[in-house]
Amino acid sequence: MRKFHTVTVVGLGVIGGSYAKALSALGYRVLGVDSDAQTLQAAADDGAIEQGASDPDAFFAQSDLIVFALYPSRIADYLHAHLHAIAADCVLTDVAGLKSHFVQQICASLADRADLQFVFCHPMAGREKRGYAYADPSVFCGANFIVTPTRTACEETIERVEALAREIGFGRIRRITPQLHDEMIAFTSQLPHAIAVALINGDTHPDTGDFIGDSYRDLTRIANINEDLWTQLFLENADNLIAQLDAFERQLRIVRDAVAARDAQTLRETMIRAGIRRRKLESDRAKTQ
């Protein structure tokens, strides 16, 4: 299987920066594109990129893989603006946390470039912090990697991107449709963030910090959120997220009603069921590592 040689990473934030660091450490030639000069300098100083620029055209012309680590709403327009500069037979991929609407836009953008292939991906890794300063390739180790194949890429190209993901350190790689991706992400990613935000905002006591234990820290860690990105993710996947919020409210109501009724049996059964499901998740994860 052919390996990539020159990779351009567009957007050197937490995920894009982590990609650049991981790929450089593996010996790939990595070029970085970002609008912030200080970020480019930091990435060059770290050895994460060979060169950096704010204008991608020169880099796109010499790349055989381009990773778009931008907000989902920006990728289609960005690709359209620089489509002319991309080398023939280049492979394109992304790290976006939403797919359905975004995938349709990309497919339309590539209508006049049949020589290009786009493999839609979602690395299920990252941090609640933002910016290159928090980029760390160790977040990929054993993490889930989602691929949503479309007509924009052939089987061989998808396999090349999946092989690269394994090389970076990802564990389980799963192929699903863009629609199923957005349904699942509403539950496994967006709902936990919504819960964390609601939990932290529900605090009205000035001395909460004196009573915090690991459970509160774990549950609220992701409340330190990138508000611009997550507002976009929530709204562009609104129907799926609302369905998951409603389902969560129903489960929370079961706990609330059992407490109000002093119903120990229902509480115990609910907790036992949750424990069984949680242990299964851990077991399934261990099998992929």
Side-chain angles (χ1 to χ4, degrees):
M1 183 181 299
R2 289 181 298 132
K3 293 187 67 171
F4 298 106
H5 177 262
T6 299
V7 182
T8 293
V9 180
V10 183
L12 295 175
V14 171
I15 297 297
S18 297
Y19 260 79
K21 289 183 176 183
L23 292 168
S24 293
L26 291 168
Y28 289 90
R29 179 177 182 240
V30 181
L31 308 174
V33 177
D34 200 278
S35 59
D36 184 75
Q38 291 183 331
T39 294
L40 293 172
Q41 187 61 57
D45 291 344
D46 287 345
I49 60 173
E50 179 182 298
Q51 299 177 56
S54 58
D55 186 340
D57 285 3
F59 291 170
F60 282 4
Q62 53 187 302
S63 300
D64 54 357
L65 176 67
I66 299 172
V67 179
F68 291 98
L70 301 171
Y71 287 6
S73 63
R74 290 193 57 203
I75 298 177
D77 288 342
Y78 193 94
L79 174 61
H80 182 75
H82 300 282
L83 195 60
H84 65 280
I86 300 176
D89 300 321
C90 183
V91 175
L92 316 175
T93 189
D94 70 305
V95 302
L98 283 177
K99 296 303 176 195
S100 297
H101 180 61
F102 153 67
V103 165
Q104 295 174 7
Q105 292 178 320
I106 296 298
C107 291
S109 295
L110 293 177
D112 296 328
R113 287 295 306 267
D115 59 312
L116 302 180
Q117 298 189 64
F118 202 117
V119 182
F120 297 95
C121 299
H122 183 187
M124 298 295 294
R127 294 186 168 177
E128 67 275 14
K129 305 289 187 178
R130 70 176 80 181
Y132 177 79
Y134 298 98
D136 181 358
S138 69
V139 299
F140 301 146
C141 184
N144 291 326
F145 190 85
I146 310 300
V147 180
T148 58
T150 68
R151 58 182 173 80
T152 59
C154 67
E155 177 64 25
E156 179 188 359
T157 299
I158 295 172
E159 290 179 358
R160 289 176 70 195
V161 172
E162 290 176 338
L164 183 66
R166 292 189 186 92
E167 192 176 3
I168 291 173
F170 285 95
R172 179 183 300 176
I173 296 177
R174 178 80 182 272
R175 297 187 190 184
I176 58 177
T177 65
Q179 293 74 24
L180 179 57
H181 169 275
D182 290 355
E183 291 175 16
M184 294 303 300
I185 292 307
F187 177 69
T188 62
S189 181
Q190 294 176 351
L191 177 61
H193 282 79
I195 293 170
V197 168
L199 179 59
I200 205 85
N201 285 340
D203 176 23
T204 59
H205 201 287
D207 298 322
T208 298
D210 295 338
F211 304 92
I212 287 176
D214 288 344
S215 58
Y216 187 86
R217 290 190 188 93
D218 290 345
L219 284 169
T220 59
R221 176 182 60 82
I222 56 175
N224 188 11
I225 198 168
N226 180 337
E227 66 277 3
D228 296 324
L229 172 61
W230 284 93
T231 294
Q232 181 182 132
L233 294 175
F234 280 15
L235 295 181
E236 291 189 1
N237 201 30
D239 290 345
N240 287 322
L241 178 55
I242 289 169
Q244 296 302 333
L245 285 166
D246 289 345
F248 175 75
E249 286 181 355
R250 288 192 293 271
Q251 290 300 316
L252 192 61
R253 174 63 64 175
I254 291 172
V255 175
R256 190 263 180 212
D257 290 349
V259 171
R262 308 303 193 264
D263 183 353
Q265 181 177 348
T266 296
L267 282 174
R268 282 178 51 80
E269 291 174 352
T270 300
M271 294 174 186
I272 289 170
R273 187 165 61 251
I276 291 171
R277 293 177 64 88
R278 185 66 175 84
R279 288 190 292 275
K280 184 178 185 303
L281 287 176
E282 288 300 310
S283 176
D284 291 345
R285 177 177 173 82
K287 291 175 184 177
T288 66
Q289 296 179 332

